[in-house]
Amino acid sequence: MNIEKNYNNKELTINVENRIDTVTAPEFENEINDEMGKFDSLIIDFSKLDYISSAGLRVLIATQKKLKSENIPMTIKNVNGNINEIFRMSGFDKILKIE
């Protein structure tokens, strides 16, 4: 997994590449948590993500829960067909903001 973080003023975009699975999910979560308090909008770009496991889904839900309590929007963008199917089958497409 490769992660790239970019700021546009107070909007943080996190680009995630390859896989978010049991091994890489803690690193993904730490990368997000390291930026908490520094942004007022979070975009997670999955254009280069090939796979996400339940561990990765847990990180997304935990992050959304934290941000929602502070009224900070989180958007997931550029989801490929395989990832979109995982979101749909798990019901996460109804919980997360996906564009």
Side-chain angles (χ1 to χ4, degrees):
M1 177 184 71
N2 294 318
I3 294 177
E4 182 182 305
K5 298 185 271 190
N6 298 301
Y7 276 93
N8 182 6
N9 295 319
K10 297 279 279 177
E11 180 180 81
L12 172 61
T13 300
I14 298 178
N15 298 291
V16 186
E17 200 174 316
N18 299 327
R19 300 170 56 92
I20 302 173
D21 54 26
T22 306
V23 173
T24 59
E27 178 187 350
F28 178 50
E29 187 168 34
N30 288 338
E31 291 287 342
I32 294 170
N33 288 338
D34 286 350
E35 301 301 320
M36 286 293 189
K38 299 177 186 174
F39 58 87
D40 59 17
S41 176
L42 175 62
I43 295 171
I44 302 174
D45 187 328
F46 281 169
S47 59
K48 295 180 182 175
L49 189 71
D50 300 320
Y51 174 78
I52 188 166
S53 73
S54 59
L57 295 176
R58 184 196 59 76
V59 172
L60 293 176
I61 287 297
T63 301
Q64 183 187 38
K65 194 178 224 182
K66 286 179 204 170
L67 296 178
K68 192 172 188 175
S69 69
E70 299 177 31
N71 290 321
I72 297 173
M74 179 179 96
T75 306
I76 299 169
K77 292 190 174 184
N78 302 316
V79 177
N80 70 30
N82 293 335
I83 306 291
N84 202 41
E85 184 68 10
I86 292 168
F87 285 152
R88 192 189 63 72
M89 289 177 61
S90 63
F92 278 53
D93 61 333
K94 296 186 177 29
I95 300 168
L96 300 171
K97 182 178 178 189
I98 302 169
E99 294 181 351

